[in-house]
Amino acid sequence: MKKINNEFIKYFDKIYKKDKNTFFKELENNLINNKKQFIITANPETIMVSEKNEELRNAFLDKETVVVADGIGVVKGAKEYNYPISETILGIDIAEKLIQLADLHNKKIFLFGAKPEILEKLKSSIEEKYKNCEIVGAVNGYVEDKNEVFKEIETKEPDIVLVALGIPLQECLIYKNIDKFKKGIFIGIGGSFDVLSGCKKRAPKIFIKLKLEWLYRITKEPKRLKRFYDNNIKYWLKIKRNKK
Ligand code: UDP
């Protein structure tokens, strides 16, 4: 039996263990039944930042929050401590699925985040492709008072709220405001609007298949290298050190 004495255990314990199809079925049920839900998509960065940021940590560990593995690093890290997670469930895939489900069930979506031109493109492409869902609001991520945006979201009573501001801001804002809502599926999805709008390319299929999307992003944006070191290399060093 492997030694289980690690500060990351609390996170691995919390992460959704079942497969993606089951998760999507539960998601659809929640949407149909107006069940409020906050989804955090966790990768090693989310765990490393949670260690330093109390607000994000509280959101992550809250029993009402559903946390899915948004990267292979989390699935492999959890495995080191005998926490089997079926597979990764990526934020961008959840966002796409939510938009499809909104269309299928005539639901209302609110988009919050990214640069104005990206948001506009995304909004038009959703409206063009999906005729049965309604975008009840779209606010770019560079407005001054981001808290104020949640007041607008409240008045629109959306069924789905996609927040693309980057971690930890998106999770902290959702967590701070979620009690005011009676329904809605809330999720922070980082740079996904950039990709979903078609403004930024997702990694070629082979990278996705080999679970190397992170590597593709670094080669495209070398400035991510420091972020990668701080959040991924250090994450593994911690896991390996704690297991000795
Ligand atoms: N962003 C924003 N407002 C801000 C800071 C960031 O809307 O004040 C957006 C940014 O335009 C990008 C996303 O948040 O679309 C963060 O992207 P990043 O690639 O850093 O996130 P990741 O997917 O790596 O978590």
Side-chain angles (χ1 to χ4, degrees):
M1 185 73 176
K2 286 173 180 170
K3 188 177 156 196
I4 45 169
N5 172 27
N6 184 290
E7 66 260 51
F8 290 168
I9 289 294
K10 57 183 178 293
Y11 303 115
F12 296 143
D13 189 46
K14 180 81 216 302
I15 292 171
Y16 187 86
K17 308 286 183 309
K18 293 178 257 179
D19 61 90
K20 193 153 108 179
N21 275 339
T22 309
F23 178 76
F24 283 163
K25 281 207 184 89
E26 291 172 8
L27 198 61
E28 186 168 15
N29 273 335
N30 290 341
L31 187 64
I32 293 169
N33 297 314
N34 294 324
K35 188 170 180 282
K36 189 165 78 173
Q37 190 176 19
F38 174 21
I39 305 164
I40 290 185
T41 63
N43 50 41
E45 180 174 12
T46 322
I47 292 178
M48 293 298 280
V49 177
S50 291
E51 279 293 281
K52 290 181 240 145
N53 181 322
E54 193 184 358
E55 240 180 313
L56 180 62
R57 184 164 67 244
N58 289 342
F60 194 125
L61 299 175
D62 191 302
K63 64 177 182 359
E64 300 290 334
T65 312
V66 178
V67 186
V68 296
D70 180 56
I72 193 67
V74 168
V75 175
K76 290 202 163 151
K79 199 171 168 203
E80 294 275 327
Y81 295 95
N82 301 315
Y83 279 87
I85 298 171
S86 297
E87 58 182 333
T88 54
I89 306 176
L90 305 185
I92 190 158
D93 294 335
I94 301 174
E96 274 192 305
K97 186 73 184 177
L98 280 170
I99 296 167
Q100 288 164 8
L101 290 173
D103 194 50
L104 190 66
H105 299 290
N106 299 74
K107 295 288 183 182
K108 295 186 278 185
I109 305 175
F110 197 105
L111 306 171
F112 178 25
K115 293 186 183 137
E117 62 277 16
I118 288 176
L119 183 69
E120 213 31 62
K121 252 187 137 177
L122 176 64
K123 186 172 175 277
S124 324
S125 83
I126 296 174
E127 284 170 341
E128 202 175 297
K129 195 166 167 199
Y130 301 101
K131 303 290 183 201
N132 300 321
C133 62
E134 187 190 353
I135 298 181
V136 290
V139 177
N140 79 72
Y142 294 87
V143 291
E144 213 164 289
D145 191 346
K146 298 189 173 68
N147 247 313
E148 198 66 26
V149 178
F150 274 82
K151 288 195 186 141
E152 184 183 339
I153 301 177
E154 247 186 289
T155 63
K156 300 284 171 62
E157 301 184 342
D159 303 291
I160 294 166
V161 182
L162 304 178
V163 185
L165 299 169
I167 136 175
L169 181 60
Q170 56 195 17
E171 285 81 11
C172 293
L173 273 174
I174 294 174
Y175 193 57
K176 197 170 151 194
N177 287 286
I178 195 149
D179 284 348
K180 298 175 191 151
F181 291 84
K182 286 195 195 74
K183 66 163 185 180
I185 294 179
F186 294 76
I187 181 169
I189 47 169
S192 298
F193 284 3
D194 303 323
V195 179
L196 291 172
S197 62
C199 296
K200 213 187 230 183
K201 275 208 161 57
R202 201 171 167 182
K205 282 206 170 74
I206 185 74
F207 281 84
I208 298 175
K209 192 159 177 250
L210 294 173
K211 312 272 182 216
L212 290 174
E213 205 163 352
W214 56 272
L215 183 62
Y216 176 81
R217 291 182 87 179
I218 290 174
T219 60
K220 286 283 162 195
E221 295 170 73
K223 64 176 186 323
R224 284 186 179 271
L225 203 56
K226 167 141 190 357
R227 198 168 145 187
F228 182 77
Y229 176 78
D230 284 345
N231 295 305
N232 291 269
I233 305 291
K234 284 188 182 168
Y235 165 84
W236 279 109
L237 289 174
K238 251 185 162 181
I239 288 179
K240 296 292 176 194
R241 196 172 52 233
N242 275 293
K243 277 188 62 207
K244 271 183 195 153

